[in-house]
Amino acid sequence: MLKDELIANNPLGVFKKAANGNDAPPRMGLVISRPGLGKTAILVQIALDNMLHDRQVMHISVGQNIGKTKSWYDDIMADIATGASQEEIMAVKDEISRNRMIMTFNAATFNRPKLEERLNDLIQQDIFKPVCLVIDGLDFAKIDRRLLEDMRDMQRASKLSIWFSAVIHRETPGEIADLDLFDTVLSLDPDDQGDGKIFLNTIKDSTGCVEEGKIMRLDPTSMVVWG
Amino acid sequence: MKRDLEKVRNIGISAHIDSGKTTLTERILFYTDKIHAIHEVRGKDGVGATMDSMELEKERGITIQSAATYCNWDGYDVNIIDTPGHVDFTIEVERALRVLDGAVLILCSVGGVQSQSITVNRQMTRYKVPRIVFINKCDRTGANPDRVTGQIREKLKLNAVPMQIPIGLEGDLVGVVDLVKMRAIYYEGDNGEIIREDDIPVELQAQADEKREELLDAASMFSDDLMESILDGGDVPTDLIMSAVRRGTLALEMVPVFIGSAYKNKGVQALLDSVISYLPAPKEIENIALDLNNNEEEKVLSNDPDAPLVCLAFKLEDGRYGQLTYVRTYQGTLQKGDVIINNRTGKKVKIGRLVRMHSNEMEEIDVAGPGDIVALFGVDCASGDTFTSADICMSMSSMHVPAPVISLAIKPVDNKTSDNMSKALNRFTKEDPTFRTFVDHETGDTIVSGMGELHLEVYIERMKREYDAEVVAGAPQVAYRETITKKAEFNYTHKKQTGGSGQFGRVGGYMEPLEEGEYEFVDKIVGGVIPREFISSCDKGFTASLNKGALAGFPVTGVRCVINDGASHSVDSSDVAFQLAAKGAFKEGYFKAGPVLMEPIMKVVVEGPTEFQGGIMGSINQRRGMIIGTLEEGDYTVIESEVPLSEMFGYSTVLRSLTQGKAEFTMEFARYNPVPKGIVDDVIAEIKKRRDKK
Ligand SMILES: Nc1nc2c(ncn2[C@@H]2O[C@H](COP(=O)(O)OP(=O)(O)O)[C@@H](O)[C@H]2O)c(=O)[nH]1
């Protein structure tokens, strides 16, 4: 079945199981890169992996609208399901789209109390129970450490996984001062040879799923991780 | 005479109900010197505005049909295409949007951006229609054009740039400051027809300077020359500003905002000037047709009067002048006496009279070129048909027709009415492909179906008014459908031997899901096991079976029936025998083919204050809805969702009480989905119960 295939083929699935075979604990994750390399695509692939497992994901987009965010999912789905018939793709999409809710904020209005209020609202009314949040588009240069600490407290208390994306402008991840708040940090790096290849580099993982330094490859046009 | 295509504007005027579309249109026609008295929309003198020629529209104050009215302003031919504002008339809105090149979006200075404006704006964006905004009713208490401009940016996501500021607001409104010319413009005389230009009043100078600065900032994004001129300091030439604004507007990256009061005759002439200055001429817009000889390949039309003709019949009107067909020409020339082809039916049509519709008279003309909008007499066609010259075969619209989602039974009150009712139905179904009708053979009821409750209500009213056909309507029902999910074989023999000649026919083959379309019949019979003359009988038998699915009695769609085997009898086989055999075969295959019940799913967008977000989401969730996403801006939230239509009856009342009337929603058809397994039995039982009651 297409769904099982998609689950099996997702290289980002490595973050599900620790080396000792236990299920990985929920984490604070971060994907960093220079602009335009495909951070959103990585977050979407992480989200899709959850959705395919029937786990609900809240996609929080700061600054991008619902339609655009939704089309990221449609595009990535089409790319990872190459070879499947349109009908099959539609069927899987129908099935898993219930596992996703998109919440968009503009930068100024995003904060922990508001997010928590929304989440509690959804959970209490039994509308939506995410196990994973992906938060895309937060400007790390403008937010202060307090917000990230807040988010980490919330993550620890709620046992959700939260994945962020952040833009860096220089080659070095040192630009982001708050790496210590994250369990896992991935960085997207263009190939030095300048031949358009992009790598996904595991800079840090304290959950024991992936060895630090593990490198995965990305298809530079679809931004899908190959493995 | 060669027409100057630069000097044509085809525009739509679009608005939320009651924003003043009718009033503004009336004023425009007055100033363009075509009507000589201004009537109020619901005026005491009993004479209605000219555009709303239909009685019903007048009564409801909404404009349903997209009539086109010609007028002339400053040497320019202006065609005003009336765009219906309600979502229930989506097909008409979309057709109107194909015909117009630019639009004026009217907003009320007090009400601001309301739900219909959001929907129409979305459609305009989809069809890439450049637009300008007119903030009307600036004479009303509470008028606040600045606030409305803010809403245009926030809610419509448009780069709104004020081109004017008001001189006096509310009751004191006397004119506007033109921020391009930096002059004050006053509208005087009984009907605002006397325009007086003056210096900007001192007390407004500072505000005008500030707003002018903003305008220049915004416009300079679209013109390096303007940017340079601003940097150089000194006077910035007016035409540089105007051409930059025009460029931004045509690129859909900027929306100039004008203000005024249609009712108090303020600012209408300036708006007309702006239509000329900032909205596109036909040749500035790319129009695409599908080449039917070439796999529906997209072709850009040329605007060349000497190219082969392509024109679109976008509206039929059965009115005071007899039967009129409104067409827009995209390329080539339409000439009296020409023979053109209707590409849907393949029929040839000879053009008799060609007229241009003014607001209250018509003008006979001989030719119509690219970009022209004219009416033809006595042409038999349906709305949306494309006509071309004989050497090409193109269609403007593969524009797919959405399936009706709601239906109700209608009964004429007496026999005399029955005739009129069929006449009306015949007309309406031609005008509007989303409006359909059929007779339910079991109950004998006539069923009409369409895109929403209001859609059907309007047609029922029109039957009464225009055709004197009063009908009793049943309660609206969701238009469920049935379809199959897998391939299944059939092999059915129909045999009857009673007295005289018998009946015999055997039909073998299979049915399978059809990805696109409603029904397909494939004949794979070899060796004449079913004689030629009875092949179409099989087709008829299947088609008849489609009307009422065996699952719950709803129409079956998305089925391909293939026959590849059969048998006949030299005496006992007949048309009827094979029809019955095919019906039997269909029934046999149907239950093996995994039939499912499908329900219409609507895209529902709710907007309101953020404090109600939780409650609104709860209400959607309770209705089997799926929340796609939320958008939060300040204390204002938009919630996008998909909800089955069957759950949406009465939602406006629920939403109102949930949010103290502060939230609004829009709804449009998204697609058909299978009814979830868990509830399908309940739904079917409910439907059957309702049927039995009747
Ligand atoms: N105060 C004020 N009332 C207006 C203005 N324009 C229209 N109206 C009134 O608003 C109501 C609705 O106008 P109408 O033109 O029928 O709106 P439509 O539904 O958009 O066609 C009518 O009573 C008009 O007289 C205006 O500029 N100022």
Side-chain angles (χ1 to χ4, degrees):
Chain A
M1 220 185 88
L2 179 62
K3 199 169 149 186
D4 300 327
E5 247 170 69
L6 293 180
I7 291 176
N9 291 343
N10 188 342
L12 293 172
V14 292
F15 291 106
K16 281 199 296 276
K17 284 242 186 284
N20 59 15
N22 290 341
D23 283 346
R27 76 184 74 226
M28 281 282 276
L30 176 66
V31 181
I32 56 176
S33 83
R34 295 202 319 233
L37 287 181
K39 284 178 301 295
T40 306
I42 300 293
L43 292 187
V44 166
Q45 286 168 78
I46 291 168
L48 273 172
D49 186 52
N50 279 292
M51 290 159 64
L52 287 163
H53 280 92
D54 270 331
R55 292 195 295 238
Q56 300 197 307
V57 180
M58 172 84 76
H59 185 122
I60 294 156
S61 179
V62 180
Q64 238 183 29
N65 64 31
I66 302 172
K68 212 162 196 171
T69 306
K70 197 161 153 274
S71 62
W72 267 108
Y73 281 83
D74 294 345
D75 293 349
I76 299 258
M77 261 298 279
D79 284 326
I80 61 177
T82 42
S85 77
Q86 204 53 34
E87 247 178 351
E88 273 179 299
I89 297 178
M90 277 305 290
V92 173
K93 223 154 71 176
D94 268 0
E95 196 184 325
I96 66 171
S97 56
R98 284 203 168 255
N99 296 335
R100 178 198 62 215
M101 190 182 287
I102 298 165
M103 200 172 257
T104 60
F105 288 93
N106 57 23
T109 58
F110 181 78
N111 56 39
R112 175 183 168 186
K114 187 170 260 173
L115 180 63
E116 230 167 2
E117 189 189 320
R118 297 282 167 274
L119 279 174
N120 288 337
D121 217 13
L122 292 168
I123 294 168
Q124 270 157 23
Q125 292 192 73
D126 208 10
I127 298 174
F128 199 73
K129 280 202 182 85
V131 299
C132 175
L133 309 185
V134 300
I135 302 181
D136 192 24
L138 213 53
D139 187 349
F140 275 59
K142 293 219 180 89
I143 56 175
D144 59 42
R145 189 177 165 88
R146 269 308 303 275
L147 175 62
L148 290 176
E149 281 172 352
D150 265 3
M151 293 299 296
R152 185 189 159 97
D153 291 346
M154 178 179 143
Q155 187 269 324
R156 293 295 193 245
S158 62
K159 306 220 161 47
L160 290 163
S161 279
I162 309 184
W163 282 89
F164 292 84
S165 68
V167 178
I168 51 170
H169 296 281
R170 276 170 280 125
E171 294 292 317
T172 51
E175 186 178 333
I176 294 191
D178 311 301
L179 292 186
D180 59 304
L181 294 175
F182 295 91
D183 304 306
T184 306
V185 179
L186 308 178
S187 150
L188 278 173
D189 304 308
D191 185 9
D192 290 340
Q193 319 302 320
D195 57 2
K197 285 194 194 118
I198 299 177
F199 298 107
L200 183 64
N201 193 342
T202 310
I203 293 182
K204 170 179 176 183
D205 181 39
S206 58
T207 61
C209 292
V210 174
E211 274 172 48
E212 284 173 16
K214 181 185 162 80
I215 288 178
M216 292 182 260
R217 270 201 315 152
L218 225 69
D219 177 333
T221 46
S222 66
M223 295 172 177
V224 169
V225 182
W226 277 340
Chain B
M1 191 190 78
K2 256 240 170 347
R3 277 176 57 261
D4 188 355
L5 250 193
E6 293 289 347
K7 298 212 154 187
V8 179
R9 296 289 180 272
N10 294 317
I11 62 160
I13 299 181
S14 188
H16 192 89
I17 291 175
D18 262 2
S19 308
K21 177 164 83 175
T22 315
T23 311
L24 178 71
T25 308
E26 166 99 351
R27 263 33 167 196
I28 288 177
L29 295 174
F30 171 79
Y31 294 122
T32 54
D33 204 20
K34 290 300 167 194
I35 1 171
H36 298 277
I38 291 190
H39 307 293
E40 256 136 66
V41 177
R42 292 167 199 80
K44 292 165 211 81
D45 55 1
V47 187
T50 320
M51 282 288 273
D52 279 20
S53 54
M54 265 189 294
E55 282 295 315
L56 166 63
E57 293 181 10
K58 257 182 251 169
E59 182 154 298
R60 295 205 164 207
I62 50 175
T63 314
I64 300 153
Q65 297 286 334
S66 39
T69 308
Y70 168 89
C71 58
N72 191 290
W73 182 251
D74 200 17
Y76 283 74
D77 293 333
V78 179
N79 289 301
I80 303 175
I81 297 112
D82 199 6
T83 46
H86 198 281
V87 265
D88 275 357
F89 304 105
T90 308
I91 191 93
E92 294 204 35
V93 179
E94 303 209 344
R95 208 178 278 141
L97 291 181
R98 304 246 12 213
V99 168
L100 50 83
D101 299 316
V104 178
L105 196 59
I106 309 179
L107 298 172
C108 168
S109 70
V110 182
V113 173
Q114 286 157 294
S115 57
Q116 276 172 40
S117 314
I118 295 175
T119 310
V120 172
N121 184 63
R122 195 185 305 131
Q123 281 164 331
M124 286 183 180
T125 304
R126 198 185 301 153
Y127 281 84
K128 300 201 176 70
V129 178
R131 66 214 87 142
I132 62 180
V133 167
F134 183 66
I135 302 180
N136 189 31
K137 302 199 185 182
C138 285
D139 61 305
R140 270 186 63 186
T141 314
N144 189 344
D146 277 346
R147 193 178 126 258
V148 179
T149 305
Q151 288 181 351
I152 303 172
R153 294 186 185 132
E154 277 165 34
K155 295 197 192 179
L156 301 183
K157 304 272 175 292
L158 299 175
N159 177 19
V161 180
M163 304 294 289
Q164 303 167 332
I165 57 173
I167 305 179
L169 256 189
E170 305 184 336
D172 302 326
L173 180 76
V174 287
V176 298
V177 173
D178 177 335
L179 296 171
V180 175
K181 290 193 200 146
M182 287 306 262
R183 296 285 288 166
I185 300 171
Y186 298 92
Y187 299 88
E188 296 170 350
D190 282 350
N191 290 313
E193 71 280 15
I194 303 167
I195 299 174
R196 182 169 64 83
E197 245 187 70
D198 207 339
D199 291 338
I200 298 174
V202 249
E203 67 278 12
L204 287 178
Q205 189 66 47
Q207 193 198 351
D209 288 342
E210 185 192 322
K211 292 279 176 186
R212 156 103 165 176
E213 197 72 11
E214 281 175 24
L215 164 60
L216 290 182
D217 267 357
S220 61
M221 304 302 290
F222 306 101
S223 159
D224 292 343
D225 291 347
L226 177 61
M227 180 89 82
E228 267 170 39
S229 164
I230 295 170
L231 291 176
D232 287 347
D235 280 349
V236 181
T238 320
D239 52 342
L240 262 190
I241 306 176
M242 288 174 68
S243 68
V245 172
R246 180 178 182 82
R247 203 168 305 147
T249 308
L250 297 200
L252 303 175
E253 282 173 21
M254 167 171 177
V255 173
V257 177
F258 303 87
I259 52 182
S261 162
Y263 182 68
K264 291 282 168 68
N265 306 311
K266 303 283 183 279
V268 178
Q269 297 96 321
L271 181 69
L272 269 166
D273 289 338
S274 312
V275 164
I276 307 297
S277 303
Y278 304 121
L279 288 180
K283 66 169 146 196
E284 288 169 293
I285 293 289
E286 185 179 274
N287 287 296
I288 288 177
L290 305 171
D291 188 348
L292 300 180
N293 285 338
N294 210 345
N295 237 336
E296 298 215 348
E297 201 193 356
E298 292 191 354
K299 280 246 166 79
V300 177
L301 298 175
S302 71
N303 282 311
D304 176 359
D306 300 323
L309 175 78
V310 177
C311 62
L312 173 72
F314 65 96
K315 196 204 162 195
L316 308 183
E317 199 178 72
D318 214 4
R320 46 206 160 138
Y321 303 110
Q323 212 235 278
L324 280 178
T325 304
Y326 286 82
V327 299
R328 153 139 193 188
T329 312
Y330 292 90
Q331 68 171 31
T333 303
L334 202 57
Q335 203 151 357
K336 218 159 131 172
D338 278 357
V339 173
I340 57 177
I341 312 279
N342 180 338
N343 280 326
R344 182 177 56 88
T345 60
K347 276 198 191 125
K348 284 186 187 158
V349 174
K350 185 165 171 155
I351 303 173
R353 286 166 71 198
L354 211 56
V355 297
R356 188 185 252 167
M357 301 304 292
H358 297 239
S359 57
N360 54 353
E361 56 174 1
M362 46 184 203
E363 174 195 359
E364 301 271 344
I365 52 175
D366 295 329
V367 290
D372 270 338
I373 292 177
V374 296
L376 307 176
F377 268 94
V379 171
D380 185 33
C381 68
S383 284
D385 285 355
T386 305
F387 288 94
T388 65
S389 37
D391 46 344
I392 55 170
C393 190
M394 297 223 202
S395 174
M396 290 303 293
S397 52
S398 167
M399 221 202 304
H400 105 135
V401 178
V405 294
I406 199 164
S407 68
L408 48 81
I410 52 173
K411 269 201 178 76
V413 290
D414 52 37
N415 276 342
K416 185 181 105 262
T417 313
S418 171
D419 261 4
N420 291 344
M421 184 178 93
S422 349
K423 264 189 220 145
L425 291 176
N426 186 27
R427 163 103 263 129
F428 297 157
T429 47
K430 265 193 181 170
E431 271 177 24
D432 177 358
T434 60
F435 179 74
R436 301 188 193 177
T437 171
F438 64 95
V439 174
D440 183 331
H441 289 294
E442 260 165 43
T443 58
D445 285 343
T446 299
I447 310 288
V448 292
S449 57
M451 299 316 295
E453 274 181 277
L454 183 62
H455 188 205
L456 298 183
E457 261 171 44
V458 163
Y459 280 119
I460 288 170
E461 295 254 1
R462 281 185 60 188
M463 278 184 217
K464 187 159 108 196
R465 266 151 220 273
E466 294 170 34
Y467 290 85
D468 194 22
E470 192 158 343
V471 301
V472 184
Q477 313 276 311
V478 172
Y480 291 96
R481 294 167 157 200
E482 299 181 21
T483 192
I484 56 172
T485 54
K486 55 187 184 214
K487 180 173 164 177
E489 311 215 320
F490 48 73
N491 184 2
Y492 185 84
T493 309
H494 173 73
K495 197 152 74 180
K496 213 170 194 178
Q497 208 68 55
T498 41
S501 70
Q503 288 183 359
F504 180 87
R506 180 167 76 82
V507 176
Y510 58 90
M511 61 173 68
E512 62 185 358
L514 185 62
E515 267 189 40
E516 227 171 277
E518 303 201 341
Y519 164 68
E520 206 174 282
F521 174 70
V522 181
D523 165 24
K524 285 195 184 158
I525 295 290
V526 284
V529 288
I530 296 179
R532 275 291 95 203
E533 66 263 38
F534 299 136
I535 298 291
S536 68
S537 314
C538 298
D539 189 6
K540 264 190 236 156
F542 291 136
T543 312
S545 311
L546 294 172
N547 283 334
K548 240 186 170 76
L551 195 60
F554 289 100
V556 181
T557 60
V559 181
R560 179 187 288 118
C561 290
V562 181
I563 53 170
N564 56 21
D565 192 17
S568 65
H569 183 277
S570 57
V571 179
D572 291 347
S573 283
S574 63
D575 174 39
V576 175
F578 271 100
Q579 282 196 40
L580 290 170
K583 276 188 188 169
F586 191 92
K587 204 164 180 181
E588 184 188 303
Y590 192 62
F591 280 107
K592 293 191 282 181
V596 289
L597 190 65
M598 309 282 284
E599 62 178 346
I601 305 292
M602 311 302 279
K603 176 173 175 182
V604 176
V605 179
V606 190
E607 317 185 349
T610 301
E611 50 178 311
F612 300 117
Q613 179 167 323
I616 295 170
M617 291 215 248
S619 72
I620 290 168
N621 197 51
Q622 278 163 17
R623 290 178 164 64
R624 289 198 283 128
M626 178 176 90
I627 295 161
I628 294 172
T630 63
L631 173 121
E632 207 167 315
E633 275 175 346
D635 40 20
Y636 182 80
T637 297
V638 182
I639 300 166
E640 259 185 57
S641 64
E642 289 182 351
V643 189
L645 175 65
S646 59
E647 306 279 344
M648 287 301 291
F649 291 108
Y651 187 61
S652 46
T653 318
V654 170
L655 188 64
R656 208 175 304 131
S657 64
L658 200 63
T659 62
Q660 300 156 17
K662 288 183 187 149
E664 294 187 77
F665 79 101
T666 59
M667 174 159 97
E668 64 186 285
F669 172 69
R671 64 170 170 281
Y672 270 91
N673 261 11
V675 177
K677 288 200 182 69
I679 61 163
V680 69
D681 290 341
D682 291 349
V683 172
I684 293 179
E686 180 65 27
I687 294 162
K688 292 207 162 125
K689 202 163 82 198
R690 222 166 30 213
R691 264 196 209 128
D692 291 345
K693 240 194 267 159
K694 274 205 289 190

